Amino acid sequence: MHRFYRYWFGLLAAFLFCNLFKSHAQPVPEWQDPQVFNINTEKPRADFLPYPDEKSALSADKKASSVRSLNGTWKFKWASHPSKAIPNFFDPNVQDASWDNIPVPSNWQVIGAREGRKYDHPVFTNSNPSFKATPPRINADTNAVGMYRTTFTVSEDVKSKQIFLHFAGVQSACYVWLNGVAIGYHEDGMTPFEFDITEDVKLGLNHLAVQVISWSDGSHLENQNHWRLSGIFRDVNLLVRPKVILTDFTVRTLLDANQEHATLKLSAFVKNYTEQAIHAHQILFTLYDANKSVVVTPVSQMVGTLDPAKEGAVRVDIPIPNPVKWTAETPYLYTLSVQLMNSDGKVLEATSQPVGFREIKMKGDQLLVNGKAVTLRGVNRHEFDAETGQAISRESMIKDISLMKQHNINAVRTSHYPNASEWYELCDQYGLYVIDEANIESQNPVGQNIALADMPQWRSAFLARGNAMIERDKNHPSVIIWSLGNELKTGKNFADMADYINLADPTRPINKHPTIQAGFGLNWADQGLKLKKPDGTSYWEFFNNSENARAAGLVNPDRMPKPELNDTKKVYQFVKFESPDTMRAGEKTVSILNNYDFLPLNVLELVWSVQENGKVIGKPGVISNLNAASRQRQQVSIPYELPATQKQGAEYFLNISIRLKDGTTWAPKGHEVAWHQIAIVKPQQPAPVLSLYNEKPLRVAQISAGRVAITGQDFAVTFDKKEGMISFKNKRDEMLQTPSDTLETTNSEIKTQRLTPTVYKVTINKILRSNAAEVAATSEYIVYATGDIYIKNTFSPANSGHLIMKSSPHLSMLATFNKTQWYGSDSYTSQNANGKIGLYSGTVAGTHFTNIMPLANGKSTNVRWTSITNPEGIGLLAVSDTAYNVNVPDYTKKDQSAAGQDRKTLAGETTFSYAFRLKPIDNTSNIEQIAAYTLPYSGQESGSTLAAGIGDDPDAVEADLVEEETVAPVKKPVKKAVVRKAPVRKKPASRKKSSRRRRR
């Protein structure tokens, strides 16, 4: 260590540890000084591993590198504030046997929460910091400190080397000591830093100590919406290197005007750590293709004479004829080896770097990759793991990338800080465009006119964070855009930062460009922590500071896909179908647009099938000759046939699936990348009307003035003037339980009409009240001797107030009815939901996705019919002649903390009406036949005026409704049915007796 730093750290120790030295002056500590963000650290450099020779460098085996991992179990002591830290904890003579053990890398809040340790608890914030916003000061009673210690040994052969201590990430600020000697200081936990410890390391046992402070002045620049976690959360390594080393290198690829041939522009830097000048050292560059064959003749460049402690540079341009280009769709990588040799030709050090030949430019408002405009289908990804917090494993990264690629996501924004370096290596390899974002997000404190981007004392911190990002990630082809940060006000510091980045790397645009596609609206994963209760059971920790930004992702924290991810996959799919959603029977041609930016369709195949009433019929077909180039169309003839004999009222769809011909690194052979479903329109015969011939008459009982029961041969149903249908028995098995309603019911009345001996109509009129608004609700129930019940509900606002209300019937069935089947879409029912019309079945519980927060889900859309039965097959069937939405939750509104969402506003509408029918069924019921007929006296018959339109807002419905349907209003029949009293004639004396009994 240089004497200057030894002297400086003597002063630092005097300040930090007042028991060592006394001073009347009280200087501002580094962690509260915005102009001090690193001390004694090496210059930022590209992320690469040094190896002893080219062979080991090309193998990319870290075990063969010159790197020694210090990851593992460290000793740990926690304090609530820097003032309460052990003053000389870094002294090797201080005993730490009683300290806690902690894994490195990790976040101590996560370890503490999972293991019940008394550390500060994980806190999630979105826009408000966890400390008073008085930049640059940290005025907080709790500003936790973690004191880390570990040891390592150094042998004689290692002591003769140049030794560096590398931290990949420490949050938020840290001081470092080795063998009791202060080594350095660093802020910005999301980028790496290194110390040269050659002069401070000793033979044998060495004691390393790190003090990590949760909040520093740098935290005012780190107000991202994520969990506030601290600790050494990325790798810690020793780099054992020769006395002359490769300190850094830069790889750039430029394409010619035709985007055909390339120039590989290389620069490398060498530093002399010996005590004498060196001469005639050279750098040898060799480019290999994916098959490890040499592409062009290796190029050697002389370094020249270097005096002690001096650094020299070499630069070379290598023409590469027509290389395979790198894109997110075609992530072809070459490998560059860089060898440092002495004057005798001996290799002192070597490394390797994947190279992707690609060029990024802005042309007007278009982002060009290799000269072609590209569309970014992106997500924002926070670096977070449900089990380990910010300590991310390679396996977790691969899972994220594979899921993204499988769901047509081609770009990711590192929200809102540089991610672990391995993430970029995997994006290079698998093919994802990366918007790399600096670790800066600083919203103005509420009520304060503070803009750090305009304060000169923060300028250096802004520039340092931008520089650390671009220096580490500059050689990754996946990085196509630099981002200065997130949600910050513009200011001179940002302008200076952008100017510097443009000078340092003119090959990539910056997201300040007004039209650049760098801000994505979708978040990748929910930020929930999976913790344990004292009894050992797991739970999700997500409520903190009453914000829900952590639960807005496309996957759960454990990376289980949400139904919304399949919606994204459909919207983002690269193969578009320009044919209409319907086609006449006999039409065979489908138009396909290849919306890939570079990939031709010959790597895909088309699989088709015909579907009848939700079931695939016949043998699926395969078309393997897709050949459209990117952005081109292809007409495909699909040789499907409909059955010669078709079922009454059958509905047919042509299903088209585009799949991978061969497996890739991110998906197996046969993986579906796009789909389309076309309704086949054919002449329809009028639907048959339900026959009531030979059915026994219904029996009607007036239970009270507000309640009536109707009984058939195998069923019984009861209506109440306030609660509607309150009982429905199927073969004596009760299917319903009394529902609960949050709306006040007033002025209700019930009427019963006998249409025929086998058909009765029950009409309930009532006023529903919510706050200051009212709505008139009319429910009509036509009950048939077959057990069918036709239901029509009509709502009309009774005044000018805005009413938020339920827009659908709510039937509460007993828990024993736990099996469901439906013909429609599975849009929001499970992680595998895809939105296709089909026949689906499962358990009631299985139709609901388990979010970490109780949110509305489980809805099926475009449903034709739904059945809910018990294990014996007895249950209820709901049918409509228009598509409707259905939800079958096994919980109540009280169970759902997200109550009050997804309501329908009726303000401004004169009427809102929908109709459907119910029928009791058993395991012998033929649902296809039941769904095919219509009901008399309902307006469903051929020639009736019942409209067949789907509701205009299928998503604006309550989350826990059993079924819901929206159709156009039904015109009232010209002739009114004769109103008859129920039950059928009784003696006058009996009626009076009954009346007297009621009066009592």
Side-chain angles (χ1 to χ4, degrees), residues 55 88 123 128 133 226 249 293 424 568 571 579 598 616 680 689 790 877 931 937 941:
K55 181 179 179 181
N88 60 337
V123 174
N128 298 316
H226 65 162
F249 66 93
S293 298
Y424 302 85
T568 302
V571 173
S579 301
F598 301 93
V616 173
I680 302 173
V689 179
Y790 179 79
L877 174 69
Y937 309 103
E941 306 93 325

Side-chain angles (χ1 to χ4, degrees), residues 673-884:
V673 299
W675 66 270
H676 191 51
Q677 196 171 47
I678 302 175
I680 302 173
V681 180
K682 60 182 184 60
Q684 289 282 0
Q685 297 296 322
V689 179
L690 173 68
S691 173
L692 299 172
Y693 186 71
N694 289 333
E695 295 291 340
K696 294 182 179 180
L698 294 170
R699 301 184 301 278
V700 182
Q702 191 78 39
I703 299 174
S704 67
R707 187 165 290 188
V708 63
I710 301 177
T711 304
Q713 185 172 0
D714 292 316
F715 76 96
V717 61
T718 303
F719 301 96
D720 181 88
K721 70 176 184 178
K722 289 187 176 181
E723 298 177 349
M725 187 168 62
I726 60 172
S727 174
F728 200 157
K729 293 182 178 179
N730 182 356
K731 299 183 185 293
R732 298 184 180 180
D733 291 334
E734 178 62 69
M735 296 186 291
L736 304 184
Q737 58 186 358
T738 303
S740 59
D741 203 327
T742 58
L743 297 177
E744 179 185 356
T745 301
T746 61
N747 301 329
S748 60
E749 63 177 8
I750 185 170
K751 296 180 181 179
T752 305
Q753 299 172 265
R754 178 183 182 272
L755 304 184
T756 74
T758 55
V759 183
Y760 276 76
K761 180 179 180 181
V762 176
T763 304
I764 298 176
N765 295 301
K766 56 186 176 181
I767 300 295
L768 300 176
R769 180 177 297 164
S770 174
N771 298 325
E774 293 182 347
V775 66
T778 299
S779 298
E780 297 178 354
Y781 303 88
I782 303 177
V783 183
Y784 302 82
T786 55
D788 292 274
I789 302 178
Y790 179 79
I791 303 172
K792 181 163 76 77
N793 293 318
T794 302
F795 301 95
S796 301
N799 58 26
S800 59
H802 288 250
L803 179 63
I804 308 298
M805 61 162 295
K806 294 178 179 178
S807 63
S808 319
H810 178 180
L811 296 180
S812 295
M813 297 188 71
L814 296 173
T816 53
F817 296 87
N818 57 7
K819 299 177 76 67
T820 183
Q821 186 179 34
W822 72 96
Y823 174 34
S825 166
D826 66 338
S827 299
Y828 304 100
T829 59
S830 71
Q831 69 181 85
N832 297 316
N834 55 31
K836 299 174 185 174
I837 302 297
L839 192 61
Y840 302 95
S841 63
T843 63
V844 168
T847 63
H848 291 265
F849 181 81
T850 304
N851 290 285
I852 65 168
M853 294 179 68
L855 298 174
N857 75 95
K859 180 174 65 179
S860 301
T861 60
N862 295 315
V863 176
R864 279 69 170 161
W865 57 258
T866 311
S867 70
I868 304 170
T869 63
N870 61 19
E872 289 73 39
I874 295 174
L876 191 62
L877 174 69
V879 184
S880 176
D881 60 347
T882 62
Y884 62 102

Side-chain angles (χ1 to χ4, degrees), residues 357-590:
F357 283 91
R358 60 103 183 95
E359 188 174 76
I360 311 299
K361 287 185 177 180
M362 291 298 301
K363 183 179 180 181
D365 61 353
Q366 290 185 317
L367 176 67
L368 305 184
V369 175
N370 302 338
K372 297 183 69 173
V374 297
T375 301
L376 300 186
R377 297 163 166 86
V379 292
N380 301 313
R381 174 186 178 266
H382 269 287
E383 195 172 52
F384 192 82
D385 186 276
E387 304 278 351
T388 58
Q390 293 172 333
I392 310 298
S393 68
R394 179 182 177 88
E395 292 73 24
S396 174
M397 297 181 200
I398 292 175
K399 189 170 187 178
D400 274 358
I401 292 175
S402 297
L403 280 173
M404 289 178 187
K405 296 282 290 186
Q406 289 167 12
H407 292 84
N408 297 323
I409 293 167
N410 71 351
V412 62
R413 178 185 176 202
T414 63
S415 305
H416 302 288
Y417 38 78
N419 287 185
S421 58
E422 198 166 17
W423 173 256
Y424 302 85
E425 297 172 14
L426 293 170
C427 290
D428 294 343
Q429 177 185 341
Y430 283 77
L432 277 179
Y433 297 123
V434 175
I435 289 79
D436 202 5
E437 192 153 88
N439 186 23
I440 302 178
E441 179 171 341
S442 178
Q443 300 158 356
N444 289 349
V446 177
Q448 301 182 45
N449 186 22
I450 299 176
L452 303 186
D454 274 325
M455 294 185 175
Q457 63 267 39
W458 290 86
R459 178 180 181 274
S460 295
F462 274 73
L463 294 178
R465 289 175 181 242
N467 182 53
M469 172 184 69
I470 66 170
E471 289 297 335
R472 188 196 67 170
D473 302 333
K474 60 193 174 188
N475 293 335
H476 291 286
S478 58
V479 177
I480 63 169
I481 297 171
W482 299 120
S483 172
L484 303 182
N486 184 55
E487 295 184 3
L488 291 114
K489 302 297 181 182
T490 58
K492 188 176 188 307
N493 294 339
F494 268 129
D496 291 349
M497 185 179 173
D499 290 343
Y500 171 78
I501 292 177
N502 280 326
L503 287 172
D505 178 24
T507 67
R508 295 176 175 95
I510 299 175
N511 71 338
K512 287 189 68 173
H513 193 284
T515 58
I516 206 163
Q517 309 172 53
F520 303 132
L522 297 174
N523 292 324
W524 174 241
D526 289 350
Q527 295 185 66
L529 275 171
K530 194 172 186 180
L531 304 179
K532 289 185 178 180
K533 299 178 182 178
D535 61 4
T537 58
S538 298
Y539 72 98
W540 287 112
E541 175 72 30
F542 57 87
F543 283 110
N544 244 313
N545 294 353
S546 68
E547 298 169 15
N548 63 3
R550 59 204 159 278
L554 296 174
V555 298
N556 268 356
D558 57 4
R559 272 41 183 185
M560 177 177 287
K562 294 183 181 182
E564 293 85 349
L565 183 57
N566 285 293
D567 290 345
T568 302
K569 177 180 181 178
K570 178 62 175 172
V571 173
Y572 279 179
Q573 68 183 30
F574 291 88
V575 179
K576 301 295 183 181
F577 298 86
E578 297 184 319
S579 301
D581 292 335
T582 61
M583 64 192 320
R584 292 189 179 90
E587 292 181 343
K588 310 282 186 178
T589 301
V590 175

